[in-house]
Amino acid sequence: MLPRQAVSATRRHVLSRDPAAHAAAHVTPAHATSAGAALHRPAIVGRASPPRPLIMLDPGHGGKDPGAIGISGTYEKHVAEAAAAELQRQLVGSGRYRVAMTRADDRFIPLEGRVDLAHSHKASLFISMHADALHDPAVRGASVYTLSSHASDAQTAAIARSENSADRFGGPQVHATSPEVQEILASLVTEETRHGAAHMASSIVSSFRPRISLLTHPARHASFVVLKSADIPSVLVEMGFMSNHMDEAALRQSAHRMVVAGAMVQAIDRYFASASMVTRVTG
């Protein structure tokens, strides 16, 4: 048997040559904490946080489809993309949401494809962003639209016809849905989805009202193809009209688009806070 001093010297020599052995030498075995003591696993406290909601932003038009063309020549597709990018920046910056875009550059996407993207991302909310044009250049102001088999008014019906005709730019392989099929699709939307869309539209109007000019009766509805998802609350936001020189000039300014996006973030926060409250109450 080696003398105790020799054992200690040998141990020091091994540890100095092997760092792993040195680390292992300072680990107390679990069974050495207490004779016969049971291992204690850490307690599970609370629940894992639910995933952040995913919001699908849909800049209208794109690519070969310019959308409305403003008085000074501004294309709706560019305004929609810039506004959606600003809204994405603010939503992601809040840390409360995940965001996906149907398009992040100047490309054409069929209306059905936009809805399919929302489903493939399992979106909690779909927001389509536009700045249309009307025959009357005096009409200005923002408005919000939800899906219905029948338009709330003649002006809204004209806007829906314009937006639903976007697929004509896709060539013969893309066909806009017929009015008859649109009515059937609208009837398939669940009551829960309708209620969510109406609540989101109301929230946007409330957030816009103090800071952004609105149409009279700004919450409207019509048979928009892009809003036809049966299970994702969907709204279409007209930020203003490119046919009105004041709306067009405002939407060309990044500062105004920041205000629009800020109001929409506030509306989205209110929407999900309300949805969370309903979930807690109903279980």
Side-chain angles (χ1 to χ4, degrees):
M1 179 179 293
L2 291 172
R4 181 176 300 175
Q5 295 83 352
V7 172
S8 297
T10 301
R11 183 174 182 273
R12 286 196 300 273
H13 176 71
V14 171
L15 293 180
S16 66
R17 293 172 60 86
D18 187 353
H22 185 275
H26 288 81
V27 176
T28 303
H31 64 269
T33 57
S34 172
L39 293 176
H40 294 284
R41 294 182 175 86
I44 298 174
V45 179
R47 297 179 180 178
S49 299
R52 291 170 296 158
L54 187 139
I55 300 170
M56 176 64 72
L57 300 182
D58 173 45
H61 309 281
K64 63 186 80 175
D65 173 16
I69 301 176
I71 293 175
S72 68
T74 307
Y75 284 2
E76 178 185 4
K77 66 176 182 177
H78 294 147
V79 166
E81 183 183 337
E86 174 59 28
L87 179 53
Q88 179 189 38
R89 185 188 69 81
Q90 292 192 29
L91 287 170
V92 171
S94 75
R96 295 186 290 274
Y97 307 101
R98 296 171 294 146
V99 180
M101 304 269 278
T102 56
R103 67 179 183 90
D105 51 20
D106 189 13
R107 70 176 66 188
F108 174 80
I109 302 175
L111 299 176
E112 296 282 348
R114 297 167 188 263
V115 179
D116 291 343
L117 283 168
H119 285 150
S120 66
H121 281 81
K122 296 180 171 59
S124 300
L125 185 64
F126 179 92
I127 301 175
S128 193
M129 302 183 70
H130 294 261
D132 215 317
L134 296 171
H135 291 299
D136 184 354
V139 177
R140 68 179 301 244
S143 47
V144 188
Y145 301 83
T146 54
L147 181 69
S148 174
S149 57
H150 301 288
S152 54
D153 55 88
Q155 188 180 87
T156 299
I159 292 173
R161 284 194 299 271
S162 174
E163 296 298 350
N164 290 344
S165 70
D167 278 351
R168 72 188 185 278
F169 290 94
Q173 73 278 12
V174 177
H175 303 282
T177 308
S178 70
E180 293 78 15
V181 173
Q182 289 174 34
E183 185 168 346
I184 293 171
L185 291 171
S187 71
L188 296 176
V189 175
T190 67
E191 189 60 32
E192 182 180 5
T193 302
R194 289 181 186 277
H195 179 75
H199 177 51
M200 185 64 216
S202 175
S203 187
I204 292 174
V205 169
S206 296
S207 293
F208 275 6
R209 197 176 295 280
R211 61 195 89 174
I212 297 165
S213 175
L214 290 166
L215 285 181
T216 305
H217 308 301
R220 305 183 179 201
H221 54 265
S223 185
F224 292 91
V225 172
V226 79
L227 302 181
K228 75 176 189 62
S229 173
D231 55 357
I232 302 173
S234 304
V235 296
L236 186 148
V237 179
E238 290 284 359
M239 299 174 286
F241 292 98
M242 304 300 285
S243 47
N244 178 272
H245 71 94
M246 294 180 69
D247 276 359
E248 182 200 25
L251 289 166
R252 286 170 59 93
Q253 303 299 315
S254 60
H256 180 75
R257 295 193 299 270
M258 288 177 66
V259 172
V260 171
M264 291 187 67
V265 170
Q266 183 184 68
I268 291 166
D269 284 345
R270 186 185 300 116
Y271 170 81
F272 282 105
S274 175
S276 175
M277 180 63 70
V278 170
T279 300
R280 287 198 296 272
V281 171
T282 61

